[in-house]
Amino acid sequence: MTGGVEERDQSVSLDLLKQKMANFAKERDWDQFHSPRNLLLALVGEVGELSEIFQWKGEVPKGLPDWKEEEKVHLGEELSDVLLYLVRLSDICGIDLGKAALRKVELNAVKYPASKKNFNTSNGTAHTG
């Protein structure tokens, strides 16, 4: 993925990522391999790689204060892989991911109103749908 400093300084949108991923695949003639199934399986593989980072760390505090810089860089790379496959999958499936995500937040707000705190005191987790 190419891009100058100016490109990195601009705000990043899902549409920009979608366009970059489409161009990236086209330039390499990878569209033939980007079926929904293949992209989903690649996404699952990347989620596995992301999971490995946390596998033996126990509970990790917000902000990752005890992590080395190279661990944070690696985490960012794996998070990016997951995001990029998700954006590409949604594009190939014809789903507007931004609109779908906003709709899901709205549905969750109805399903889990703020007036009814859905907090499990036995394990300290909040349900987010």
Side-chain angles (χ1 to χ4, degrees):
M1 312 239 199
T2 59
V5 173
E6 315 80 46
E7 200 169 79
R8 283 184 253 138
D9 288 341
Q10 71 181 344
S11 178
V12 177
S13 68
L14 291 176
D15 284 337
L16 175 63
L17 294 175
K18 180 172 82 170
Q19 175 189 353
K20 290 205 158 288
M21 291 302 295
N23 291 341
F24 188 83
K26 185 176 182 177
E27 290 167 355
R28 289 154 182 81
D29 196 27
W30 287 357
D31 284 326
Q32 60 185 317
F33 306 114
H34 284 189
S35 67
R37 177 188 175 276
N38 287 350
L39 290 168
L40 176 61
L41 292 175
L43 173 62
V44 168
E46 293 300 337
V47 169
E49 290 182 25
L50 179 60
S51 299
E52 286 177 351
I53 295 173
F54 290 92
Q55 187 171 9
W56 306 114
K57 292 200 177 283
E59 199 55 47
V60 177
K62 290 180 182 179
L64 314 174
D66 301 327
W67 286 36
K68 298 175 188 165
E69 187 58 29
E70 58 267 18
E71 290 177 304
K72 290 181 181 183
V73 168
H74 183 219
L75 175 61
E77 291 169 354
E78 296 306 334
L79 286 166
S80 297
D81 285 340
V82 170
L83 174 63
L84 293 172
Y85 272 118
L86 184 61
V87 167
R88 183 69 172 150
L89 176 60
S90 67
D91 183 28
I92 293 298
C93 291
I95 302 296
D96 183 322
L97 188 57
K99 287 181 182 176
L102 289 175
R103 180 175 183 276
K104 185 62 177 179
V105 169
E106 291 170 3
L107 290 171
N108 282 344
V110 171
K111 189 174 181 179
Y112 307 105
S115 60
K116 294 181 181 179
K117 304 287 187 216
N118 290 300
F119 188 78
N120 185 338
T121 55
S122 65
N123 68 8
T125 60
H127 183 50
T128 59

